[in-house]
Amino acid sequence: MVLFALYALAPLAWLVINASKTQQSMFDSFGLWFAGRFALLDNLHQVLTYDGGIYVRWLANTILYVVVGAGGATVLATLAGYGLAKYDFPGKRAVFATVLGAIAIPGTALAVPTFLMFSQLHLTNTIWAVIVPSLVSPFGLYLVWVYALDAVPTEILEAARIDGSGELRTFLTIGLRLLTPGVVTVALFAVVATWNNYFLPLIMLNDPNLFPLTIGLQQWNLRATGVNATPIYNLVISGSLLAIVPVVAIFLALQRYWQSGLAAGSVKA
């Protein structure tokens, strides 16, 4: 357990420590200890102002992709998972088998076909090339389906229908409330996946003004190589540290929901 904790925390500690160093002291000192002048605030100021403040633009793009893409994926997964768990219809088993099969397909295997399809639709190098694929979350659908099977008793839904409640009202007032831990868990998975999305934006986008943080920071990192290179490793590291702050804050704020959702899902699966 201690080894696993060290393995997980050592990269984060390295990131925090080196974000506080100047670029020169970063190379002249041990990576897992502080050295030289404490330059964290200077580094963060440079990150936010370098190249006309392009980092702020990348951060705004990432938030847009997360809000629309991950938010949409959560809504669709919730509706589809609830429907599969609580309604019977022809082809239900085929739909479920398709969802399970989709979970087993790695995203990188679909990247090139997705690029060719979006190219035919003239949607490459637009925000939709990142948002639309992010709306599909087979794992999120599966998680909601598993959670809804036991978290939303069918007897309660039937009682609401007998009392005259429509399907939409029953879902919003009863089903959605009981599904809250599972929905929050799915939302967190979708947020992290979209926030860390790298390969799809890499092949879809070539306009720096549309880059998310993952691609933008990689572009800064590439400036250290080639003719007339201008290494800015201190900005890359400080920008990376700043990029993980929103995700950590979301996890801490919603931890009681996703912990209960994961525990319930693991038991029911």
Side-chain angles (χ1 to χ4, degrees):
M1 183 64 75
V2 173
L3 290 177
F4 279 114
L6 290 175
Y7 179 78
L9 295 177
L12 181 60
W14 185 92
L15 184 65
V16 173
I17 292 170
N18 285 277
S20 69
K21 299 178 181 178
T22 62
Q23 183 157 270
Q24 185 61 40
S25 62
M26 192 183 305
F27 291 102
D28 295 340
S29 60
F30 179 57
L32 288 175
W33 195 248
F34 299 93
R37 181 171 62 86
F38 187 79
L40 177 60
L41 295 181
D42 290 341
N43 288 337
L44 293 178
H45 180 264
Q46 291 182 53
V47 166
L48 298 175
T49 58
Y50 184 79
D51 199 11
I54 190 66
Y55 183 92
V56 178
R57 181 61 179 266
W58 295 337
L59 177 61
N61 291 339
T62 304
I63 293 174
L64 173 66
Y65 299 148
V66 167
V67 171
V68 181
T74 304
V75 172
L76 293 176
T78 301
L79 294 174
Y82 176 82
L84 279 173
K86 295 300 168 185
Y87 295 98
D88 290 322
F89 53 87
K92 178 178 176 178
R93 295 177 66 87
V95 172
F96 185 64
T98 303
V99 172
L100 289 181
I103 294 175
I105 300 176
T108 51
L110 301 175
V112 173
T114 304
F115 171 79
L116 294 176
M117 183 175 66
F118 275 72
S119 179
Q120 291 293 322
L121 297 173
H122 304 288
L123 290 176
T124 54
N125 202 33
T126 67
I127 62 172
W128 303 111
V130 178
I131 289 176
V132 173
S134 301
L135 295 174
V136 181
S137 176
F139 177 71
L141 188 155
Y142 173 76
L143 191 60
V144 172
W145 174 77
V146 171
Y147 192 82
L149 282 177
D150 289 336
V152 184
T154 304
E155 294 79 7
I156 295 180
L157 301 181
E158 292 176 346
R161 290 167 186 149
I162 293 173
D163 290 339
S165 176
E167 296 299 328
L168 180 60
R169 183 183 176 187
T170 302
F171 170 72
L172 294 176
T173 57
I174 299 176
L176 193 56
R177 290 186 180 183
L178 297 174
L179 284 174
T180 297
V183 172
V184 171
T185 304
V186 171
L188 284 174
F189 277 120
V191 166
V192 173
T194 307
W195 193 277
N196 294 331
N197 196 359
Y198 175 78
F199 190 58
L200 185 65
L202 179 66
I203 65 172
M204 288 289 190
L205 305 176
N206 56 39
D207 183 357
N209 290 318
L210 298 177
F211 286 170
L213 284 172
T214 50
I215 305 300
L217 290 171
Q218 175 62 9
Q219 293 298 311
W220 278 4
N221 191 49
L222 292 176
R223 295 189 181 187
T225 60
V227 180
N228 298 323
T230 54
I232 48 174
Y233 291 121
N234 59 325
L235 302 190
V236 175
I237 293 174
S238 301
S240 300
L241 176 63
L242 191 60
I244 67 174
V245 171
V247 179
V248 174
I250 292 173
F251 260 82
L252 293 177
L254 300 176
Q255 60 177 328
R256 69 186 179 94
Y257 291 103
W258 66 262
Q259 284 177 346
S260 61
L262 280 178
S266 62
V267 171
K268 291 163 187 170

